[in-house]
Amino acid sequence: MNFGTAIIANVHADLDNILRDVKKHKELEHIIVDLVNSVAVREDLACVAVLCDPVYLNIFEGALFDKLYTVPFVFIVVAEHEDLLSPNFSTLEAMRQARKDGCGAYIITLANGLQAARLLTFGDRYRLLDTRAKYIMLHDIRLFKSNLHYLWKRIVNVVFLRYHNAQRNKTWFDLSTVPFPNTIKDVLITRRIEIWRNGKFHYSKDLFADKTKNLNGETLNVVYLEHVPSVVNTKSNDTKEVGGVEIEMLNTIASKMNFKLKLYQSADAEQNKWGQKLPNGSYSGLLGEMVTGQADIAVGNLQYTTLYHEIIDLSIPYTSQCWTFLTPEAMSDNSWKTLILPFKLYMWIAVLMVLLVTGSIFYGLAKYYIHLMDFRGETAKDISTEKMKQKPTSDTRPGGLYLFGEITNSILYTYGMLLVVSLPKLPSGWSIRILTGWYWLYCILLVVSYKASMTAILANPTPRVTIDTLKELVDSKITCGGWGQETKQFFLESLDDFGQKIGQRFEIINDPDAAVKRVVRGDFAYYDNKNFLKYLRVKRKNTKIDINMTNSSSTNDTGMGNTRMERNLHIMSDCMVNIPVSIGFHKNSPLKPLADVYLRRIVEVGLFEKWSNDAMYRIKTLDTNDEEIKALMNLKKLHGAFIALAIGYFISLVMFICELMHWHFIIKKDPLFDKYAIDLYYINKNKKH
């Protein structure tokens, strides 16, 4: 009898458990319907992703969808034994498709809390779950272990459902969420937000209200890296303050979202700066602070690159920066060519050809008129032949024809007209006179052009030899370098041949001051954005620069002073690439969407331009090219004139020596030479000719 009673009692107990589970599932179905409908009313959901196991699969039957608003569902059913930290292919593809479709809500009903925790870990690590979506999950204490606390800094729009079975079969659900933005201490205690009982909510609250609109004065850790103009260390009396464009932006966003900033630098900021991946898989520098969760926000001219995007979340770009090279500038001292610079080579060839041709024409016309005058003199009866013979040859060439009677004289006098030197006497003969007049017009135009070009050359600064294109940089054979292995990889993977050549000789250098020292020596080109390169150029020109900026590695004597042996610094005019720049948030940060909204407004109203100009004002003021000083006339610019005069002295001296040698070794050796009757010697010699 007792044995039979025990059997009946066990049967009743099993039946009660089964009925209780059925009732629990029915109530869970109702609360999910209410939750999904409340979200669908407030927001336009693209779809709802459901991740469940066979234990809770029967909840999602046909009757549930009759009560829901028309919302697409994506079902992902996982096996009870499946390890969701390494899901199978079908589960993985379903999760990817749900993320691709933009599902705005996730319903996770897994009986095993550890399985749910591994699912969230995997989805967050590889961004397969949209952490900013709305989450409906079953409450399980195993989800709140200390090693999972970082998840609840990212998944904040979550509602945990906790089933309570009260007396008299009055079941109810406790709805709670994570205590964002409050900092999670050693133990995570969820915060109750609603109670669901008898098919309705008790307080009728907005269960998924935006928690980032008001962070209640929470202090956020901000790791920064000084990089002009994004982040600048400013001096105020004896204290240092952090300023710059991105700091101003953060201050504005903080005032709107009601949080405070705690600025700090990473311990290895000087050596590792933004940071790189270490052999053990961790990261150094600024990225290391973000990966380990020590910092909530990162500022310091973060580029919108694949490396940063994989590790952290980047805000919308607030600007696009031109990245190029800081190259050495070579002075081309061509002052010795000042006299020939006004005209190009082909112009000088044309001038010389015209000079030779015109001089030859003058000589030909003069010879023709001389022969014509000789012919007339021989036939004239009123002129005595003896009288004509006694006159010098030069006297037989009337009307200035003697100017062009010899080819050497013709070329010299033609050259003299080109130098605007008047003729000693106008020649006779209408053809020569007309040619002289038109040649004078040509000379005037040519001389005016030459003077105008010469004036411009003397008034302008001394020309420089600079590198402004990637091809010129490759041809220069100088070494290139910059920060980070990813920069070198960027050039190596370039589709352009020039870019690959740059990558092959690209050196990784983390100290910009050391890089500038190499640039001024003329054997290195440094890669960074234009604004920062301007800062480096100004700092190099002004070793005792006081622009209200400090750099812990360069405010002291850095050896960057300008000396006569150093090259000037030149920034290439061509941009290698225009890279968007953003503010960094920790991976899957819930702050990013609203921060993007405020950041877009900051840019649209022009505050970014204002802060950027303020940060660069002192640099632009000191970054003068000294054009006005170099445009003044000095002895160096007249170097060419003295060289021309020296050449004239030298040629004259050589000709003088030649004349002396001709006098001593030819004239004096002539048997007919008589030093007491030199005039008769030349008269007789001319008669022979």
Side-chain angles (χ1 to χ4, degrees), residues 506-577:
F506 193 91
E507 294 183 8
I508 299 175
I509 182 168
N510 296 333
D511 187 1
D513 294 338
V516 171
K517 291 179 183 179
R518 296 181 60 182
V519 175
V520 298
R521 290 200 302 264
D523 60 356
F524 194 74
Y526 184 65
Y527 182 73
D528 212 300
N529 72 74
K530 270 193 173 181
N531 288 332
F532 188 70
L533 295 181
K534 288 180 181 178
Y535 166 69
L536 292 178
R537 184 168 64 181
V538 169
K539 189 171 66 171
R540 182 251 170 181
K541 283 184 177 180
N542 305 270
T543 54
K544 296 181 180 179
I545 181 173
D546 182 15
I547 55 176
N548 291 330
M549 299 179 183
T550 63
N551 189 311
S552 56
S553 63
S554 60
T555 50
N556 297 325
D557 186 11
T558 59
M560 292 172 57
N562 189 5
T563 65
R564 294 183 179 179
M565 300 302 295
E566 294 177 350
R567 306 286 188 93
N568 289 329
L569 300 180
H570 174 72
I571 300 174
M572 285 178 55
S573 58
D574 286 359
C575 295
M576 300 299 101
V577 63

Side-chain angles (χ1 to χ4, degrees), residues 4-19:
T5 305
I7 293 176
I8 295 173
N10 289 334
V11 170
H12 281 290
D14 293 339
L15 183 62
D16 290 340
N17 290 332
I18 294 174
L19 294 176

Side-chain angles (χ1 to χ4, degrees), residues 576-606:
M576 300 299 101
V577 63
N578 285 286
I579 303 179
V581 183
S582 307
I583 295 174
F585 296 88
H586 67 73
K587 189 176 181 180
N588 297 326
S589 172
L591 304 177
K592 180 183 179 302
L594 188 56
D596 284 347
V597 173
Y598 291 127
L599 191 59
R600 185 179 291 108
R601 293 176 183 175
I602 289 172
V603 175
E604 288 175 351
V605 300

